[in-house]
Amino acid sequence: MVMANSLKFVTVACCLFVVLLMAYPVESAKRYLFKTCEQSSFCRRNREYADLAQSKGAAWDSPYAIDSSTVQFDGGVLQGTILKSILDSKGDPTNVELPFQLVFLESGTARFMVDEKQRTDSPISGFPESITQRRYNEASKWAVTGDLTPDDNAIDATTDNERKDGVYKIKFGPDRYFEAVVESKPLRVAFYRDGEPQVILNDRGLINMDHWRAKPDPSQINDDPSLKNELDIKDMWEESFGGSTDTKPKGPESIALDVTFPGYEHVFGIPEHADKFSLRETRGGEGNHNEPYRLFNVDIFEYEVNSPMAMYGAIPFMQAQKKKSSVGIFWANGADTWIDIVKSKPNEQSFGVKKSTETHWISESGIIDMYVMLGPDPTSVYHQYGLLTGFTALPPIYAVGYHQCRWNYNSEDDVAEVDANFDKYEIPYDAIWLDIEYTENKKYFTWLKSMFPTPEKMMQNLDKRKRKLVVIIDPHIKKEAGYKTYETLSKGELAIKTSEGQEYNGWCWPGESAWIDTFNPKAADFWKDQYKPGKFCGYENNFLMWNDMNEPSVFNGPEVSAPRDALHYGNWEHRDVHNIYGATYHNATQQAMLARNPRQRPFVLTRSFFAGSQRYGAVWTGDNAASWDYLKIVTPMLLSHSIAGFSFVGADVGGFFGNPTPELLTRWYQAGAFYPFFRGHAHIESKRREPWLAGEPYTSLIRNAIRLRYQLLPSVYTAFHRASFDGVPIVRPMFLLAPENEEAFEIDDQFFFGETGLLVKPIVEEGARSTEIYIPDDELYYDYFDETIYEGIGYKHLDAPFEKIPILARGGHIIVRRDRYRRSATLMSHDPLTLVIHLDRSGNAGGVFYMDDGETMAYNRGAFLHRFFMFNAQDNILRSRSMQPSGASSRSYEKTIDEVRIEKIILVGFNTDKLKSARTVEAFQDKKSWSADIHVAETSDGKVSVVTVRDPKVLVIGDWSIQF
Ligand code: NOJ
């Protein structure tokens, strides 16, 4: 019955799509639900403005210029007023005042802000009286947690002559190595490093701000052409799309700015799009897009691949990369945003023979708030961006294991059976997931009692094998009398409101619903209440959370979301905060889980996100489909998320919609083993596809892939730790290790995995049994499985029979593994370790290892182990050294792991002549020494030697060394 009910809603939603589909050509299947730039008034107007500027060329006279009489520099801030010249309602020239600030932050990042002077004489027509502030200026408040203190050490280096010309030069950043050059007219802000401009704001003069003006009254227009024009501009004062009308009570308020990256041919980032990693041009031409990339969080049903269309999340961060140089920008704006990209012709005079990338950022509302990070290399940019928006929350170790999900596991028996089958087939996993059907009629915080009569017992059973239960909680709350959660939400006025200030209701899974407004601190408190111990999940602690539909998805709303004129806490319009909403919901859930159990690290998966969401948990790429194209697009998508600060990312393994062939499913698991977030998931109408159902040989191959992930967990977790303090992602693009090789910048079908030096190239083509893998630098590479050696920059042919994932291990890295099969990650926590050492060209290697209790917050107080292993070619000694200051917490933590030892060392590529005839090595720890047996596999057939130390008996704690 319940199943029938839920199917009814699915069917309603699907029918809606089918009906709409019939009216549209097949190739634009879902496009009709979402605006194109042309259909979006502010995007169209700003694009036309760009065309006008372009057509005028050097004669373009932008109406924006700095009033140099207003400019001052003090305490790390250059500020003044930009004047926008306009005609007033009588047709006379006048100016709009736009105060600007250029703030040089202590972190070395520069921040350029432009607001509009509040006009007290102009109340905002039709808006609640409490609204005095027109422009939303809180995007940074949500996204940025870093220190925004201006840097007193920034200095004014302007000469008197320059000042006379309205030019200002400020030196800032580490050792005042960076310089900002601000020109008043034409307005231009250039950021220099190494004596060269790296980022230029408004180089093309496209800055634009729809200034406030009252809507012209048609009866008073008479013949005034300027007013008539205003009214005639399509959709300027009111805009309809898909049957909904946006009343735009504040009138047009878009902002735009162009950003040029001189000499940079490649830009990356601005997730989320299902597209190439190196972003394409967007103004036509072969292989390019015709539409700008759009950032507007939407529930995009079965999204298109290779498209600039908006998806579930938005991170307005872009990285530009050229040979040996990297810079980043962050556009702190949560409104609907479109980004045009063109690559200009080489300009030999100013930037050598390289192309430059020119971008144009257009947002519907808010202020201009642009952060500029000058690198100079990718890791510095990621660190600078992390200092602003925060770093990846260190996940509990079980969240890094494998997750088993489907829509839906239907009952407690179903859960128990799936759980038991993992053991029967000896496949490790850490969490089983319940989708929306576990609730009573999609009322969150309830259980469908007929199918889940004893949820706490179910959790306790899972806990016996240290496994977790993840449940979904969406932000729409069913509007139903007697449903406590709804009643409290509604009575407390904690939901999103209509433009008239009433509770906003729309449709989602439960039918008519209200949406929690998590911008409201009281709503966040109310959310905490729902999760209190003893309530929804009893007193259990092995449950984790899944946030879905938080774009927010509204089945009958414009562009499947909330109306832009709906109101949030503080009377901000939804248009201002649309892209931030999902992150506030994710944050509220994380906070609720923390309040429930402050000792335990929460895990919350989200579908929608904004800059800073990496602080709250993991993300996945939404509703993909079981086809090879969707498997293929995952790698570029993971790369884009990763370089934009969101490291903990994955995609539905197997494809959400449809049914994968066993081959596709197997290849997807082989790829998924290297997704930072690793979860199998399927649509309610897809056939069951738990690994054992695939049959042989597939089940064994899937088992191998999942076990490989578990073997590598110590290294994966170490990579998460690094992301959590310096922002270097887990899925790494070629340029991170080979910043000099421009040829490799565009390669987005392979990646380096964490700290391991593993170069992974997933097989994404049906029937493929070999592949070409690209070596981007001059290092030695070894086949991870058989030690065949590869070297020299360029493509190498690699066999990839069905049972094999093409992986090369880069010389110079040390991988830390746990090789024993256990049922879950937590059960492995005290298992012995294996070190796998791949020597570089000079015979050296090094690797970091991080370990803590994997679940509590004690690591924040120093309860962790952080070590460095290094193999030195000069003395042939492998050493373990501490990387942490010794303190009481680390000592007491070490006591809990003092039996954890290294059980095996595998040394790949060692010159075995050095061993002479020795078949033992000497180990030293705690002033004692002993010998350990080794096994030597000599070089043969293009394969290098492998020396295995079988039981060196050294511990994971304390310094030790092994002499080969
Ligand atoms: C949409 C999500 O993207 C999908 O993963 C989930 O299964 C369904 N909503 C049902 O909750």
Side-chain angles (χ1 to χ4, degrees):
M1 168 64 193
V2 172
M3 199 60 176
N5 255 346
S6 52
L7 277 174
K8 203 166 78 195
F9 285 121
V10 178
T11 319
V12 169
C14 292
C15 285
L16 183 81
F17 283 116
V18 171
V19 169
L20 290 165
L21 270 175
M22 283 170 12
Y24 287 86
V26 176
E27 61 269 24
S28 60
K30 288 99 215 159
R31 289 189 183 178
Y32 64 90
L33 288 171
F34 305 102
K35 290 182 180 178
T36 58
C37 176
E38 180 67 27
Q39 288 165 325
S40 159
S41 162
F42 75 92
C43 184
R44 187 188 61 245
R45 285 186 288 113
N46 279 288
R47 243 191 173 194
E48 285 169 0
Y49 188 74
D51 289 341
L52 178 69
Q54 167 95 7
S55 68
K56 302 240 164 161
W60 169 241
D61 185 18
S62 158
Y64 295 80
I66 292 174
D67 172 359
S68 25
S69 71
T70 61
V71 178
Q72 314 168 17
F73 178 74
D74 189 26
V77 183
L78 183 84
Q79 55 190 328
T81 301
I82 294 171
L83 297 179
K84 174 184 183 185
S85 59
I86 57 163
L87 298 179
D88 68 11
S89 58
K90 295 190 198 80
D92 295 327
T94 182
N95 286 319
V96 179
E97 291 178 49
L98 307 172
F100 81 91
Q101 287 202 332
L102 182 55
V103 185
F104 302 96
L105 304 178
E106 282 180 349
S107 60
T109 292
R111 180 182 188 192
F112 180 62
M113 297 161 79
V114 186
D115 202 343
E116 181 177 0
K117 190 168 177 203
Q118 210 56 47
R119 305 244 301 265
T120 43
D121 57 320
S122 315
I124 291 154
S125 63
F127 225 65
E129 279 192 1
S130 55
I131 295 287
T132 50
Q133 184 81 7
R134 177 168 178 268
R135 292 193 172 270
Y136 182 69
N137 57 5
E138 295 183 1
S140 275
K141 180 182 135 189
W142 287 99
V144 173
T145 49
D147 188 358
L148 294 179
T149 316
D151 184 3
D152 276 341
N153 292 318
I155 52 160
D156 189 347
T158 316
T159 63
D160 288 346
N161 277 346
E162 285 165 344
R163 203 178 308 276
K164 250 186 253 146
D165 293 342
V167 175
Y168 309 90
K169 290 189 173 165
I170 310 295
K171 292 198 182 290
F172 69 104
D175 302 327
R176 298 185 187 130
Y177 184 51
F178 305 146
E179 187 177 44
V181 178
V182 178
E183 291 164 57
S184 299
K185 189 169 173 57
L187 169 56
R188 195 168 177 269
V189 183
F191 296 91
Y192 283 71
R193 174 182 24 84
D194 303 322
E196 284 180 16
Q198 309 288 341
V199 179
I200 310 177
L201 309 184
N202 207 40
D203 197 34
R204 291 189 289 156
L206 305 184
I207 192 171
N208 197 20
M209 220 170 198
D210 278 325
H211 60 279
W212 184 88
R213 65 271 218 186
K215 182 175 179 180
D217 176 349
S219 64
Q220 295 188 352
I221 287 180
N222 300 325
D223 290 330
D224 181 337
S226 67
L227 291 185
K228 184 148 185 347
N229 276 346
E230 288 267 289
L231 262 193
D232 278 355
I233 297 175
K234 193 166 164 270
D235 297 335
M236 182 112 144
W237 301 94
E238 199 174 274
E239 195 164 339
S240 295
F241 182 76
S244 316
T245 299
D246 172 9
T247 60
K248 295 198 192 173
K250 295 202 250 179
E253 46 176 333
S254 78
I255 55 166
L257 181 67
D258 65 87
V259 184
T260 297
F261 300 98
Y264 287 85
E265 276 191 58
H266 294 278
V267 288
F268 306 90
I270 54 167
E272 181 172 36
H273 301 100
D275 200 16
K276 276 169 51 167
F277 178 46
S278 174
L279 298 166
R280 297 175 215 247
E281 295 190 47
T282 59
R283 304 222 66 178
E286 212 193 316
N288 298 335
H289 296 302
N290 280 309
E291 282 284 297
Y293 284 96
R294 186 181 186 194
L295 292 176
F296 187 64
N297 297 351
V298 287
D299 181 356
I300 182 159
F301 174 84
E302 219 177 285
Y303 52 81
E304 289 179 21
V305 296
N306 298 314
S307 162
M309 282 175 77
M311 291 181 67
Y312 310 94
I315 304 184
F317 165 84
M318 183 181 273
Q319 178 190 343
Q321 182 71 32
K322 66 179 181 184
K323 194 169 182 170
K324 290 205 243 172
S325 179
S326 191
V327 292
I329 56 171
F330 169 49
W331 174 256
N333 190 294
D336 188 4
T337 295
W338 302 76
I339 302 145
D340 260 322
I341 299 174
V342 288
K343 302 201 178 168
S344 68
K345 303 229 164 52
N347 175 342
E348 289 201 35
Q349 260 175 7
S350 38
F351 315 127
V353 287
K354 293 284 171 215
K355 280 185 188 171
S356 294
T357 302
E358 297 176 343
T359 63
H360 184 201
W361 298 67
I362 307 167
S363 289
E364 185 178 13
S365 67
I367 59 167
I368 291 179
D369 192 358
M370 177 69 97
Y371 296 83
V372 177
M373 290 146 272
L374 292 176
D377 49 38
T379 48
S380 309
V381 172
Y382 306 146
H383 187 70
Q384 288 151 2
Y385 180 67
L387 287 176
L388 267 188
T389 63
F391 297 103
T392 300
L394 184 65
I397 190 139
Y398 44 78
V400 182
Y402 173 66
H403 299 258
Q404 182 62 41
C405 186
R406 83 168 266 116
W407 179 13
N408 220 87
Y409 290 117
N410 294 318
S411 64
E412 288 180 8
D413 287 348
D414 199 359
V415 168
E417 196 182 321
V418 172
D419 181 61
N421 270 325
F422 271 98
D423 295 340
K424 179 170 166 201
Y425 290 90
E426 301 194 324
I427 302 172
Y429 92 104
D430 268 82
I432 185 159
W433 292 50
L434 294 181
D435 209 320
I436 47 178
E437 311 301 330
Y438 78 88
T439 60
E440 187 200 314
N441 287 331
K442 317 295 177 303
K443 286 183 279 184
Y444 304 111
F445 307 106
T446 69
W447 291 91
L448 178 61
K449 281 291 175 192
S450 55
M451 296 295 167
F452 296 91
T454 53
E456 291 168 42
K457 210 167 127 213
M458 173 172 60
M459 288 182 244
Q460 285 154 14
N461 283 335
L462 288 168
D463 191 46
K464 287 184 188 142
R465 283 166 304 287
K466 292 283 166 246
R467 287 181 180 143
K468 319 288 165 194
L469 182 76
V470 186
V471 295
I472 196 168
I473 304 263
D474 292 350
H476 48 257
I477 304 295
K478 185 175 173 65
K479 184 174 182 182
E480 185 180 279
Y483 172 33
K484 229 15 226 294
T485 305
Y486 170 70
E487 286 183 340
T488 321
L489 180 88
S490 186
K491 220 190 268 140
E493 299 196 20
L494 304 175
I496 299 178
K497 295 182 178 157
T498 63
S499 56
E500 275 92 40
Q502 310 303 313
E503 178 179 295
Y504 168 69
N505 294 143
W507 278 72
C508 206
W509 300 125
E512 198 175 24
S513 306
W515 274 260
I516 180 168
D517 179 12
T518 33
F519 285 93
N520 185 342
K522 283 198 183 132
D525 289 345
F526 155 74
W527 215 233
K528 282 184 190 153
D529 270 1
Q530 310 308 303
Y531 287 85
K532 274 202 171 134
K535 284 181 126 178
F536 165 56
C537 279
Y539 290 90
E540 303 317 308
N541 276 322
N542 66 328
F543 78 94
L544 318 171
M545 281 296 139
W546 176 14
N547 287 170
D548 186 20
M549 314 295 276
N550 50 336
E551 294 72 28
S553 171
V554 181
F555 292 157
N556 60 342
E559 300 196 82
V560 203
S561 195
R564 286 164 199 248
D565 53 8
L567 293 176
H568 287 264
Y569 176 71
N571 271 332
W572 291 116
E573 283 190 289
H574 186 70
R575 93 182 67 250
D576 298 319
V577 298
H578 174 84
N579 285 347
I580 308 174
Y581 173 77
T584 66
Y585 180 66
H586 192 197
N587 178 27
T589 309
Q590 191 210 41
Q591 292 306 316
M593 292 296 281
L594 265 173
R596 177 190 167 91
N597 184 348
R599 285 191 70 246
Q600 186 175 302
R601 271 176 252 170
F603 168 84
V604 188
L605 178 76
T606 186
R607 191 171 72 174
S608 185
F609 56 91
F610 187 60
S613 288
Q614 68 271 15
R615 307 191 301 262
Y616 313 136
V619 64
W620 94 107
T621 60
D623 297 347
N624 55 7
S627 78
W628 293 90
D629 282 349
Y630 283 87
L631 168 58
K632 192 172 183 173
I633 203 71
V634 178
T635 310
M637 291 183 79
L638 297 188
L639 284 164
S640 299
H641 281 73
S642 298
I643 63 117
F646 218 154
S647 278
F648 200 0
V649 55
D652 285 347
V653 169
F656 178 65
F657 292 109
N659 297 299
T661 59
E663 182 182 353
L664 174 60
L665 185 67
T666 306
R667 288 303 198 187
W668 214 317
Y669 271 99
Q670 292 179 340
F674 294 90
Y675 299 170
F677 171 62
F678 182 24
R679 181 185 76 158
H681 183 38
H683 186 264
I684 196 164
E685 282 160 15
S686 301
K687 290 191 197 129
R688 288 267 173 152
R689 54 165 96 130
E690 289 71 39
W692 47 91
L693 296 176
E696 289 304 337
Y698 310 104
T699 299
S700 290
L701 299 181
I702 294 172
R703 177 194 298 114
N704 292 348
I706 299 179
R707 282 195 181 190
L708 176 60
R709 165 62 164 236
Y710 277 79
Q711 268 192 312
L712 293 172
L713 274 187
S715 285
V716 183
Y717 192 58
T718 300
F720 268 97
H721 175 251
R722 177 144 189 221
S724 79
F725 75 88
D726 77 0
V728 176
I730 294 157
V731 166
R732 300 179 183 172
M734 295 304 102
F735 56 67
L736 213 87
L737 279 97
E740 298 193 13
N741 180 0
E742 282 173 296
E743 223 180 73
F745 288 0
E746 262 188 291
I747 294 178
D748 60 4
D749 55 0
Q750 57 180 50
F751 55 89
F752 286 104
F753 187 58
E755 299 290 289
T756 58
L758 294 180
L759 177 59
V760 183
K761 169 132 193 197
I763 294 294
V764 296
E765 264 128 38
E766 186 163 22
R769 295 294 179 265
S770 68
T771 190
E772 305 296 315
I773 193 164
Y774 184 85
I775 291 188
D777 63 358
D778 202 23
E779 199 38 83
L780 294 181
Y781 283 77
Y782 308 84
D783 185 304
Y784 179 67
F785 297 103
D786 71 9
E787 288 84 31
T788 305
I789 194 147
Y790 295 87
E791 57 186 313
I793 293 175
Y795 279 99
K796 312 287 159 190
H797 185 80
L798 223 71
D799 284 343
F802 201 20
E803 60 280 6
K804 186 167 171 190
I805 313 173
I807 307 174
L808 296 184
R810 184 173 186 266
H813 300 258
I814 298 183
I815 300 167
V816 186
R817 296 196 317 217
R818 281 204 162 99
D819 286 350
R820 300 181 183 193
Y821 158 67
R822 303 276 178 195
R823 295 195 256 211
S824 63
T826 311
L827 293 173
M828 297 170 87
S829 64
H830 283 60
D831 278 356
L833 298 159
T834 294
L835 305 187
V836 188
I837 305 166
H838 293 97
L839 295 178
D840 68 11
R841 275 199 185 287
S842 14
N844 298 308
V848 173
F849 173 58
Y850 173 85
M851 176 176 169
D852 60 21
D853 68 19
E855 40 191 296
T856 75
M857 299 293 181
Y859 74 98
N860 279 329
R861 299 185 295 276
F864 60 85
L865 184 86
H866 202 194
R867 299 202 71 82
F868 187 66
F869 303 122
M870 65 214 131
F871 185 88
N872 190 329
Q874 297 208 316
D875 52 14
N876 301 319
I877 295 180
L878 172 67
R879 294 181 171 83
S880 169
R881 293 289 179 265
S882 177
M883 289 180 69
Q884 75 202 98
S886 169
S889 300
S890 66
R891 281 195 299 275
S892 67
Y893 172 63
E894 284 187 2
K895 282 199 187 118
T896 69
I897 53 165
D898 60 4
E899 85 289 16
V900 178
R901 63 196 170 81
I902 313 290
E903 69 173 345
K904 201 193 282 179
I905 295 166
I906 302 171
L907 182 60
V908 181
F910 187 61
N911 177 356
T912 48
D913 292 347
K914 292 186 183 176
L915 290 170
K916 309 220 170 84
S917 56
R919 285 302 174 260
T920 57
V921 290
E922 281 299 294
F924 304 85
Q925 186 164 26
D926 287 338
K927 299 192 182 123
K928 289 185 211 125
S929 73
W930 58 91
S931 11
D933 290 344
I934 56 172
H935 172 267
V936 180
E938 296 290 352
T939 312
S940 70
D941 294 344
K943 299 183 173 56
V944 295
S945 67
V946 180
V947 179
T948 307
V949 186
R950 276 184 176 131
D951 186 12
K953 293 195 176 67
V954 286
L955 296 175
V956 71
I957 60 168
D959 291 353
W960 50 258
S961 41
I962 295 178
Q963 170 80 63
F964 283 75

